[in-house]
Amino acid sequence: DAMVIQNPRYQVTQFGKPVTLSCSQTLNHNVMYWYQQKSSQAPKLLFHYYDKDFNNEADTPDNFQSRRPNTSFCFLDIRSPGLGDAAMYLCATSRVTAVNTEAFFGQGTRLTVV
Amino acid sequence: AQKVTQAQTEISVVEKEDVTLDCVYETRDTTYYLFWYKQPPSGELVFLIRRNSFDEQNEISGRYSWNFQKSTSSFNFTITASQVVDSAVYFCALSEALGSSNTGKLIFGQGTTLQVKP
């Protein structure tokens, strides 16, 4: 059974129209991450939640926001998608304590902006 | 600063050949974790192995083996008797593990695309 679930798998949105991607986990991990992966590139961290604490990467555009209403769910909001935001968006979770677990990834949401 | 380098962009082998994927990392931390992930065409990142900086033992799992050498800051991955199903992009990654900066976030290498031909 999938432990990190992302919906939808494919999302097409219009230029400038807000879009929300969702992620849920059944692992009860304390940290949830959103990575952006453009074609033929490595995943790049946008931000993460350490429990309820939101941590933004310095170079993440303001256009990207996130919400974590509870331990299990995390959302990625793109307020005004541009053509350059077309990418695979990967959600991941891990348990970060004195000893870190590996990160578990969802199947990703492939975003197309038209 | 942390950095992961996978110098091999693409590798093509014929089935049953052995192949080694190279990974070199940079970090100033004394405690850190190293990972390998596989990304098949479907897009999901599949965890393969985690190694902490205090454990330099090499590991073998079936046809997969990993060689961790702190002296050269390398964490190489070998697939023995490769199969077509091994075709994927493989990422090496690093995360720091101590203090207030311990978030578990991954710094990825650029990935190596492995093509195994029948």
Side-chain angles (χ1 to χ4, degrees):
Chain A
D1 288 338
M3 295 175 285
V4 181
I5 302 168
Q6 291 188 243
N7 283 305
R9 290 287 310 279
Y10 301 91
Q11 175 74 57
V12 180
T13 191
Q14 290 181 337
F15 182 96
K17 183 175 180 181
V19 63
T20 295
L21 310 182
S22 71
C23 177
S24 63
Q25 58 141 334
T26 59
L27 298 163
N28 203 34
H29 283 168
N30 58 338
V31 188
M32 294 186 77
Y33 312 84
W34 280 104
Y35 288 85
Q36 179 193 61
Q37 185 180 24
K38 295 188 176 181
S39 181
S40 302
Q41 296 184 19
K44 178 179 176 299
L45 183 66
L46 294 173
F47 28 57
H48 71 277
Y49 273 94
Y50 193 122
D51 294 322
K52 296 181 180 179
D53 294 332
F54 176 71
N55 297 272
N56 205 25
E57 293 299 297
D59 55 356
T60 298
D62 293 339
N63 198 24
F64 292 87
Q65 304 287 326
S66 186
R67 296 169 283 135
R68 189 180 185 186
N70 53 52
T71 301
S72 301
F73 286 87
C74 195
F75 300 97
L76 168 63
D77 301 309
I78 309 177
R79 292 191 297 186
S80 182
L83 297 178
D85 297 328
M88 173 76 91
Y89 290 88
L90 296 161
C91 174
T93 74
S94 70
R95 184 171 62 244
V96 177
T97 59
V99 178
N100 298 354
T101 68
E102 60 273 18
F104 291 84
F105 284 81
Q107 289 187 298
T109 295
R110 190 171 296 279
L111 179 69
T112 301
V113 182
V114 297
Chain B
Q2 296 184 322
K3 185 179 179 182
V4 177
T5 301
Q6 295 178 254
Q8 304 148 309
T9 305
E10 292 183 19
I11 300 176
S12 181
V13 299
V14 177
E15 207 168 21
K16 298 184 183 177
E17 286 185 15
D18 299 346
V19 58
T20 296
L21 310 181
D22 297 333
C23 173
V24 174
Y25 63 92
E26 297 175 29
T27 180
R28 284 178 285 189
D29 295 333
T30 56
T31 303
Y32 51 89
Y33 293 91
L34 295 165
F35 304 83
W36 276 95
Y37 283 86
K38 174 182 179 180
Q39 189 174 41
S42 59
E44 181 179 1
L45 280 164
V46 178
F47 166 76
L48 296 178
I49 189 172
R50 176 189 65 161
R51 217 8 137 227
N52 74 49
S53 52
F54 297 111
D55 183 2
E56 282 193 79
Q57 279 192 336
N58 293 329
E59 180 155 339
I60 298 174
S61 176
R63 295 184 296 106
Y64 295 170
S65 62
W66 291 269
N67 183 283
F68 176 28
Q69 292 195 341
K70 288 179 75 171
S71 61
T72 56
S73 297
S74 65
F75 186 43
N76 296 337
F77 172 31
T78 297
I79 302 174
T80 302
S82 59
Q83 300 176 0
V84 172
V85 293
D86 295 328
S87 298
V89 181
Y90 291 86
F91 288 99
C92 181
L94 166 73
S95 74
E96 57 194 0
L98 276 184
S100 60
S101 60
N102 180 12
T103 64
K105 71 178 184 181
L106 296 169
I107 307 297
F108 286 92
Q110 286 303 300
T112 297
T113 300
L114 174 65
Q115 184 182 33
V116 182
K117 299 177 181 177

Coordinates of all heavy atoms in Angstrom, one line a residue, chain B residues 42-118:
Chain B
S42 N 8.2 6.1 -14.5 CA 7.0 6.5 -13.8 C 7.1 7.8 -12.9 O 6.2 8.4 -12.6 CB 6.4 5.4 -13.0 OG 7.4 5.0 -12.0
G43 N 8.4 8.0 -12.5 CA 8.6 9.3 -11.8 C 8.8 9.2 -10.3 O 9.4 10.1 -9.7
E44 N 8.4 8.1 -9.7 CA 8.5 8.0 -8.2 C 10.0 7.7 -7.9 O 10.7 7.0 -8.5 CB 7.6 6.8 -7.7 CG 7.7 6.6 -6.2 CD 6.8 5.5 -5.8 OE1 6.2 4.9 -6.7 OE2 6.7 5.2 -4.6
L45 N 10.4 8.3 -6.8 CA 11.8 8.1 -6.3 C 11.7 6.9 -5.4 O 11.0 7.0 -4.3 CB 12.3 9.3 -5.6 CG 12.9 10.4 -6.5 CD1 13.1 11.7 -5.8 CD2 14.2 10.0 -7.1
V46 N 12.5 5.9 -5.7 CA 12.5 4.6 -4.9 C 13.7 4.6 -4.1 O 14.8 4.6 -4.6 CB 12.3 3.4 -5.8 CG1 12.4 2.1 -5.0 CG2 11.1 3.5 -6.6
F47 N 13.6 4.5 -2.8 CA 14.7 4.4 -1.9 C 15.5 3.1 -2.1 O 14.9 2.0 -2.2 CB 14.2 4.5 -0.5 CG 15.2 4.1 0.6 CD1 16.3 5.0 0.9 CD2 15.2 2.9 1.2 CE1 17.2 4.6 1.9 CE2 16.1 2.5 2.2 CZ 17.1 3.4 2.5
L48 N 16.8 3.1 -2.2 CA 17.6 1.9 -2.3 C 18.5 1.7 -1.1 O 18.5 0.5 -0.6 CB 18.5 2.1 -3.5 CG 17.9 2.1 -4.9 CD1 18.9 2.3 -6.0 CD2 17.0 0.9 -5.1
I49 N 19.1 2.7 -0.6 CA 20.0 2.5 0.6 C 20.3 3.8 1.3 O 20.2 4.9 0.7 CB 21.4 1.9 0.1 CG1 22.2 1.5 1.4 CG2 22.2 2.9 -0.7 CD1 23.5 0.7 1.1
R50 N 20.5 3.7 2.6 CA 20.9 4.8 3.5 C 22.2 4.4 4.2 O 22.3 3.2 4.7 CB 19.9 5.1 4.5 CG 20.2 6.2 5.5 CD 19.2 6.3 6.6 NE 19.2 5.1 7.4 CZ 18.7 5.1 8.6 NH1 18.2 6.2 9.1 NH2 18.6 4.0 9.3
R51 N 23.1 5.3 4.3 CA 24.4 5.0 5.0 C 24.7 6.2 5.9 O 24.6 7.3 5.4 CB 25.5 4.8 4.0 CG 26.6 3.8 4.1 CD 26.5 2.9 5.2 NE 26.9 1.6 4.8 CZ 26.1 0.5 5.1 NH1 25.0 0.7 5.7 NH2 26.6 -0.6 4.8
N52 N 25.0 6.0 7.1 CA 25.4 7.1 7.9 C 27.0 7.2 7.9 O 27.7 6.3 7.6 CB 24.9 7.1 9.3 CG 25.5 6.1 10.2 OD1 26.8 6.0 10.3 ND2 24.7 5.3 10.9
S53 N 27.4 8.4 8.3 CA 28.9 8.7 8.1 C 29.8 7.9 9.0 O 31.0 7.8 8.7 CB 29.1 10.2 8.3 OG 28.6 10.6 9.6
F54 N 29.2 7.2 10.0 CA 30.1 6.4 10.9 C 30.1 4.9 10.5 O 30.8 4.1 11.2 CB 29.5 6.5 12.3 CG 29.6 7.9 12.8 CD1 28.5 8.7 13.1 CD2 30.9 8.5 13.1 CE1 28.6 10.0 13.5 CE2 31.0 9.8 13.5 CZ 29.8 10.6 13.8
D55 N 29.4 4.6 9.4 CA 29.3 3.2 9.0 C 29.9 3.1 7.6 O 29.2 3.3 6.7 CB 27.9 2.7 9.1 CG 27.7 1.3 8.7 OD1 28.8 0.6 8.5 OD2 26.6 0.8 8.7
E56 N 31.2 2.7 7.6 CA 31.8 2.6 6.3 C 31.8 1.2 5.8 O 32.4 0.9 4.8 CB 33.3 3.0 6.4 CG 33.5 4.5 6.4 CD 34.9 4.9 6.2 OE1 35.4 4.9 5.1 OE2 35.6 5.3 7.2
Q57 N 31.1 0.3 6.4 CA 30.9 -1.1 5.9 C 30.3 -1.0 4.5 O 29.3 -0.4 4.3 CB 30.1 -1.9 6.8 CG 30.9 -2.5 8.0 CD 30.1 -3.5 8.7 OE1 28.9 -3.6 8.6 NE2 30.8 -4.4 9.4
N58 N 30.8 -1.8 3.6 CA 30.2 -1.9 2.3 C 28.9 -2.8 2.5 O 28.8 -3.6 3.4 CB 31.1 -2.5 1.3 CG 32.2 -1.6 1.0 OD1 32.1 -0.4 1.0 ND2 33.4 -2.1 0.6
E59 N 28.0 -2.7 1.6 CA 26.8 -3.4 1.7 C 26.4 -4.1 0.4 O 26.6 -3.5 -0.7 CB 25.6 -2.5 2.1 CG 24.3 -3.2 2.3 CD 23.4 -2.5 3.3 OE1 23.8 -1.8 4.1 OE2 22.2 -2.8 3.2
I60 N 25.8 -5.2 0.5 CA 25.4 -6.0 -0.7 C 23.9 -6.4 -0.5 O 23.6 -6.9 0.6 CB 26.2 -7.2 -1.0 CG1 27.7 -6.9 -1.2 CG2 25.7 -8.0 -2.1 CD1 28.6 -8.1 -1.3
S61 N 23.1 -6.1 -1.5 CA 21.7 -6.5 -1.5 C 21.4 -7.1 -2.8 O 21.1 -6.4 -3.8 CB 20.8 -5.3 -1.2 OG 19.5 -5.7 -1.2
G62 N 21.4 -8.4 -2.9 CA 21.2 -9.1 -4.2 C 22.2 -8.7 -5.2 O 23.4 -8.9 -5.0
R63 N 21.7 -8.1 -6.3 CA 22.7 -7.7 -7.4 C 23.3 -6.3 -7.1 O 24.1 -5.8 -7.9 CB 21.9 -7.7 -8.7 CG 21.5 -9.1 -9.2 CD 20.8 -9.0 -10.6 NE 19.6 -8.2 -10.6 CZ 19.5 -7.0 -11.2 NH1 20.6 -6.5 -11.8 NH2 18.4 -6.3 -11.2
Y64 N 22.8 -5.6 -6.1 CA 23.3 -4.3 -5.8 C 24.3 -4.3 -4.7 O 24.2 -5.1 -3.7 CB 22.1 -3.4 -5.3 CG 21.0 -3.2 -6.2 CD1 19.8 -2.6 -5.8 CD2 21.1 -3.5 -7.6 CE1 18.8 -2.3 -6.7 CE2 20.0 -3.2 -8.5 CZ 18.9 -2.6 -8.0 OH 17.8 -2.4 -8.9
S65 N 25.3 -3.5 -4.9 CA 26.3 -3.3 -3.8 C 26.8 -1.8 -3.8 O 26.7 -1.1 -4.8 CB 27.5 -4.2 -4.0 OG 28.2 -3.9 -5.2
W66 N 27.2 -1.4 -2.6 CA 27.6 0.0 -2.4 C 29.0 0.0 -1.7 O 29.2 -0.8 -0.8 CB 26.6 0.7 -1.5 CG 25.3 0.9 -2.2 CD1 24.9 1.9 -3.0 CD2 24.2 0.0 -2.2 NE1 23.6 1.8 -3.5 CE2 23.2 0.6 -3.0 CE3 23.9 -1.3 -1.7 CZ2 21.9 -0.1 -3.2 CZ3 22.7 -1.9 -1.9 CH2 21.7 -1.3 -2.7
N67 N 29.8 0.9 -2.2 CA 31.1 1.1 -1.6 C 31.3 2.5 -1.1 O 31.3 3.5 -1.9 CB 32.2 0.8 -2.7 CG 33.6 0.9 -2.2 OD1 34.1 2.0 -2.0 ND2 34.2 -0.2 -2.0
F68 N 31.4 2.6 0.2 CA 31.5 3.9 0.9 C 32.9 4.1 1.4 O 33.4 3.3 2.2 CB 30.5 3.9 2.1 CG 30.5 5.2 2.9 CD1 30.9 6.4 2.4 CD2 30.2 5.2 4.2 CE1 30.9 7.6 3.1 CE2 30.2 6.3 5.0 CZ 30.6 7.5 4.5
Q69 N 33.5 5.2 0.9 CA 34.9 5.5 1.3 C 35.0 6.9 1.7 O 35.0 7.8 0.9 CB 35.9 5.2 0.1 CG 36.0 3.7 -0.2 CD 37.2 3.4 -1.0 OE1 37.8 4.3 -1.7 NE2 37.6 2.1 -1.1
K70 N 35.1 7.1 3.0 CA 35.2 8.5 3.5 C 36.5 9.2 3.1 O 36.6 10.4 2.9 CB 35.1 8.5 5.1 CG 33.7 8.2 5.6 CD 33.7 8.2 7.1 CE 33.7 9.6 7.6 NZ 33.5 9.6 9.1
S71 N 37.6 8.4 2.9 CA 38.9 9.0 2.5 C 38.8 9.7 1.2 O 39.5 10.6 1.0 CB 39.9 7.9 2.5 OG 39.6 6.9 1.6
T72 N 37.9 9.2 0.3 CA 37.8 9.8 -1.0 C 36.4 10.5 -1.2 O 36.1 11.0 -2.2 CB 38.0 8.8 -2.1 OG1 37.0 7.7 -1.9 CG2 39.4 8.2 -2.1
S73 N 35.6 10.5 -0.1 CA 34.3 11.1 -0.1 C 33.5 10.6 -1.3 O 32.9 11.3 -2.0 CB 34.4 12.7 -0.2 OG 35.0 13.2 0.9
S74 N 33.5 9.3 -1.3 CA 32.8 8.6 -2.4 C 31.8 7.6 -1.9 O 32.0 7.0 -0.9 CB 33.7 8.0 -3.4 OG 34.4 6.9 -2.8
F75 N 30.7 7.4 -2.6 CA 29.7 6.4 -2.3 C 29.2 5.8 -3.6 O 28.1 6.2 -4.1 CB 28.6 7.1 -1.5 CG 27.5 6.2 -0.9 CD1 27.9 5.0 -0.3 CD2 26.2 6.5 -1.0 CE1 26.9 4.1 0.2 CE2 25.2 5.7 -0.4 CZ 25.6 4.5 0.2
N76 N 29.9 4.8 -4.1 CA 29.6 4.3 -5.4 C 28.7 3.1 -5.3 O 28.6 2.4 -4.4 CB 30.9 3.9 -6.1 CG 31.8 5.1 -6.4 OD1 31.4 6.2 -6.4 ND2 33.1 4.8 -6.5
F77 N 28.0 2.9 -6.4 CA 26.9 1.9 -6.5 C 27.1 1.0 -7.7 O 27.3 1.5 -8.8 CB 25.6 2.7 -6.6 CG 24.3 1.9 -6.9 CD1 24.2 0.6 -6.4 CD2 23.3 2.4 -7.6 CE1 23.1 -0.2 -6.7 CE2 22.1 1.7 -7.9 CZ 22.0 0.4 -7.4
T78 N 27.2 -0.3 -7.4 CA 27.5 -1.2 -8.5 C 26.3 -2.2 -8.7 O 25.7 -2.7 -7.7 CB 28.7 -2.1 -8.2 OG1 29.8 -1.2 -8.1 CG2 28.9 -3.1 -9.2
I79 N 25.9 -2.3 -9.9 CA 24.8 -3.3 -10.2 C 25.5 -4.5 -11.0 O 26.2 -4.2 -12.0 CB 23.7 -2.7 -11.1 CG1 23.1 -1.5 -10.4 CG2 22.7 -3.8 -11.5 CD1 22.1 -0.8 -11.3
T80 N 25.4 -5.6 -10.4 CA 26.0 -6.8 -11.0 C 25.0 -7.5 -11.9 O 23.8 -7.6 -11.6 CB 26.5 -7.8 -9.9 OG1 27.4 -7.1 -9.1 CG2 27.2 -9.0 -10.5
A81 N 25.5 -8.0 -13.1 CA 24.6 -8.7 -14.0 C 23.3 -7.9 -14.3 O 22.2 -8.3 -14.0 CB 24.2 -10.1 -13.5
S82 N 23.5 -6.7 -14.9 CA 22.4 -5.8 -15.1 C 21.3 -6.4 -15.9 O 21.5 -7.3 -16.7 CB 23.0 -4.5 -15.7 OG 23.5 -4.8 -17.0
Q83 N 20.1 -5.9 -15.6 CA 18.9 -6.3 -16.3 C 18.2 -5.1 -16.9 O 18.4 -4.0 -16.5 CB 18.0 -7.0 -15.4 CG 18.6 -8.3 -14.7 CD 17.7 -8.9 -13.7 OE1 16.5 -8.4 -13.5 NE2 18.1 -10.0 -13.1
V84 N 17.4 -5.3 -17.9 CA 16.6 -4.3 -18.6 C 15.8 -3.5 -17.6 O 15.7 -2.2 -17.6 CB 15.7 -4.8 -19.7 CG1 14.8 -3.7 -20.3 CG2 16.6 -5.4 -20.8
V85 N 15.3 -4.1 -16.6 CA 14.5 -3.5 -15.5 C 15.3 -2.5 -14.7 O 14.7 -1.7 -13.9 CB 13.7 -4.5 -14.6 CG1 12.7 -5.2 -15.4 CG2 14.7 -5.4 -13.9
D86 N 16.6 -2.6 -14.8 CA 17.4 -1.6 -14.0 C 17.5 -0.3 -14.7 O 18.0 0.7 -14.1 CB 18.8 -2.2 -13.9 CG 18.9 -3.5 -13.0 OD1 18.1 -3.6 -12.1 OD2 19.8 -4.3 -13.3
S87 N 17.0 -0.2 -15.9 CA 17.0 1.1 -16.6 C 16.2 2.1 -15.9 O 15.0 1.9 -15.6 CB 16.5 0.9 -18.1 OG 17.2 0.0 -18.8
A88 N 16.9 3.2 -15.5 CA 16.3 4.3 -14.7 C 17.3 5.4 -14.6 O 18.4 5.3 -15.0 CB 15.8 3.7 -13.4
V89 N 16.8 6.5 -13.9 CA 17.8 7.5 -13.4 C 18.1 7.2 -12.0 O 17.2 6.9 -11.2 CB 17.2 8.9 -13.6 CG1 18.2 9.9 -13.1 CG2 16.7 9.2 -15.0
Y90 N 19.3 7.2 -11.6 CA 19.8 6.9 -10.3 C 20.4 8.2 -9.7 O 21.2 8.9 -10.2 CB 20.8 5.8 -10.2 CG 20.2 4.5 -10.6 CD1 20.1 4.1 -11.9 CD2 19.7 3.6 -9.6 CE1 19.5 2.9 -12.3 CE2 19.2 2.4 -9.9 CZ 19.1 2.0 -11.3 OH 18.5 0.8 -11.6
F91 N 19.8 8.5 -8.5 CA 20.3 9.7 -7.8 C 21.0 9.3 -6.5 O 20.6 8.5 -5.7 CB 19.1 10.6 -7.4 CG 18.5 11.3 -8.6 CD1 17.4 10.8 -9.2 CD2 19.1 12.5 -9.1 CE1 16.8 11.5 -10.2 CE2 18.5 13.2 -10.1 CZ 17.3 12.7 -10.7
C92 N 22.2 10.0 -6.3 CA 22.9 9.9 -5.0 C 22.5 11.2 -4.3 O 22.3 12.3 -4.9 CB 24.4 9.9 -5.3 SG 25.4 9.8 -3.8
A93 N 22.3 11.1 -2.9 CA 21.9 12.3 -2.2 C 22.6 12.3 -0.8 O 23.0 11.2 -0.3 CB 20.4 12.3 -2.0
L94 N 22.6 13.5 -0.2 CA 23.3 13.7 1.0 C 22.4 14.5 1.9 O 21.7 15.4 1.5 CB 24.6 14.5 0.8 CG 25.3 15.1 1.9 CD1 26.0 14.1 2.8 CD2 26.3 16.1 1.4
S95 N 22.3 14.1 3.2 CA 21.7 15.0 4.2 C 22.5 15.2 5.4 O 23.2 14.2 5.8 CB 20.3 14.5 4.5 OG 20.3 13.4 5.4
E96 N 22.4 16.3 6.0 CA 23.2 16.6 7.2 C 22.3 16.0 8.4 O 21.2 15.8 8.2 CB 23.4 18.1 7.4 CG 22.1 18.9 7.4 CD 22.4 20.4 7.2 OE1 23.6 20.8 7.1 OE2 21.4 21.1 7.2
A97 N 23.0 15.9 9.5 CA 22.3 15.2 10.6 C 22.5 15.7 12.0 O 22.0 15.1 12.9 CB 22.7 13.7 10.6
L98 N 23.0 16.9 12.2 CA 23.3 17.3 13.5 C 22.7 18.7 13.8 O 22.7 19.5 12.9 CB 24.8 17.3 13.8 CG 25.4 16.1 14.3 CD1 26.9 16.3 14.6 CD2 24.7 15.4 15.5
G99 N 22.3 18.9 15.0 CA 22.0 20.2 15.5 C 20.7 20.8 14.9 O 19.9 20.1 14.4
S100 N 20.6 22.1 15.0 CA 19.4 22.8 14.6 C 19.2 22.8 13.1 O 18.1 23.0 12.6 CB 19.4 24.3 15.0 OG 20.5 24.9 14.5
S101 N 20.3 22.5 12.4 CA 20.1 22.4 10.9 C 19.7 21.0 10.4 O 19.6 20.8 9.2 CB 21.4 22.8 10.2 OG 22.4 21.9 10.6
N102 N 19.4 20.1 11.4 CA 19.0 18.8 11.0 C 17.6 18.8 10.6 O 16.7 18.8 11.4 CB 19.2 17.8 12.2 CG 18.9 16.4 11.8 OD1 18.6 16.1 10.6 ND2 18.7 15.5 12.8
T103 N 17.4 18.7 9.3 CA 16.0 18.7 8.8 C 15.7 17.5 7.9 O 14.6 17.3 7.5 CB 15.8 20.0 7.9 OG1 16.6 19.9 6.8 CG2 16.0 21.3 8.7
G104 N 16.8 16.7 7.6 CA 16.6 15.6 6.8 C 16.5 15.9 5.3 O 16.2 15.1 4.5
K105 N 16.6 17.2 5.0 CA 16.5 17.5 3.6 C 17.6 17.0 2.8 O 18.8 16.9 3.2 CB 16.4 19.1 3.4 CG 17.6 19.8 3.6 CD 17.4 21.3 3.4 CE 18.7 22.1 3.5 NZ 18.5 23.6 3.3
L106 N 17.3 16.6 1.5 CA 18.3 15.9 0.7 C 18.9 16.9 -0.3 O 18.2 17.7 -0.9 CB 17.6 14.8 -0.1 CG 17.0 13.7 0.8 CD1 16.1 12.8 0.0 CD2 18.2 12.9 1.4
I107 N 20.2 16.8 -0.4 CA 20.9 17.4 -1.5 C 21.2 16.4 -2.6 O 21.9 15.4 -2.3 CB 22.2 18.1 -1.0 CG1 22.0 19.0 0.2 CG2 22.9 18.8 -2.2 CD1 21.1 20.2 -0.1
F108 N 20.7 16.5 -3.7 CA 20.8 15.5 -4.8 C 22.0 15.8 -5.7 O 22.2 17.0 -6.0 CB 19.5 15.4 -5.6 CG 18.4 14.7 -4.9 CD1 17.5 15.5 -4.2 CD2 18.2 13.4 -5.0 CE1 16.4 14.9 -3.6 CE2 17.1 12.8 -4.4 CZ 16.2 13.5 -3.7
G109 N 22.6 14.7 -6.2 CA 23.4 14.9 -7.4 C 22.5 15.0 -8.6 O 21.3 15.0 -8.5
Q110 N 23.2 15.2 -9.8 CA 22.4 15.5 -11.0 C 21.8 14.2 -11.6 O 21.0 14.3 -12.5 CB 23.3 16.2 -12.0 CG 23.6 17.6 -11.7 CD 22.3 18.4 -11.6 OE1 21.5 18.5 -12.5 NE2 22.1 19.0 -10.4
G111 N 22.2 13.1 -11.1 CA 21.6 11.9 -11.5 C 22.4 11.2 -12.7 O 23.0 11.9 -13.5
T112 N 22.3 9.9 -12.7 CA 22.9 9.2 -13.8 C 21.8 8.3 -14.5 O 21.1 7.6 -13.8 CB 24.0 8.2 -13.3 OG1 25.1 9.0 -12.8 CG2 24.6 7.4 -14.5
T113 N 21.7 8.5 -15.8 CA 20.7 7.8 -16.5 C 21.3 6.5 -17.0 O 22.3 6.5 -17.7 CB 20.1 8.5 -17.7 OG1 19.5 9.8 -17.3 CG2 19.1 7.7 -18.5
L114 N 20.8 5.4 -16.5 CA 21.3 4.1 -16.9 C 20.4 3.4 -17.9 O 19.2 3.3 -17.6 CB 21.5 3.2 -15.7 CG 21.9 1.7 -15.9 CD1 23.3 1.7 -16.5 CD2 21.8 0.9 -14.7
Q115 N 20.9 3.0 -19.0 CA 20.1 2.3 -20.0 C 20.8 0.9 -20.1 O 21.9 0.8 -20.5 CB 20.2 3.0 -21.4 CG 19.3 2.3 -22.4 CD 19.3 3.0 -23.8 OE1 20.4 3.6 -24.1 NE2 18.3 2.9 -24.5
V116 N 19.9 -0.1 -19.9 CA 20.4 -1.5 -20.1 C 19.7 -2.1 -21.3 O 18.5 -2.2 -21.3 CB 20.1 -2.3 -18.8 CG1 20.6 -3.7 -19.0 CG2 20.7 -1.7 -17.6
K117 N 20.5 -2.4 -22.3 CA 20.0 -2.9 -23.5 C 19.9 -4.4 -23.5 O 20.8 -5.1 -22.9 CB 20.8 -2.4 -24.7 CG 20.9 -0.9 -24.8 CD 21.8 -0.5 -26.0 CE 21.9 1.0 -26.1 NZ 22.8 1.4 -27.2
P118 N 18.8 -5.0 -24.1 CA 18.7 -6.5 -24.1 C 19.9 -7.1 -24.9 O 20.4 -6.5 -25.8 CB 17.4 -6.7 -24.7 CG 16.8 -5.4 -25.1 CD 17.7 -4.3 -24.7

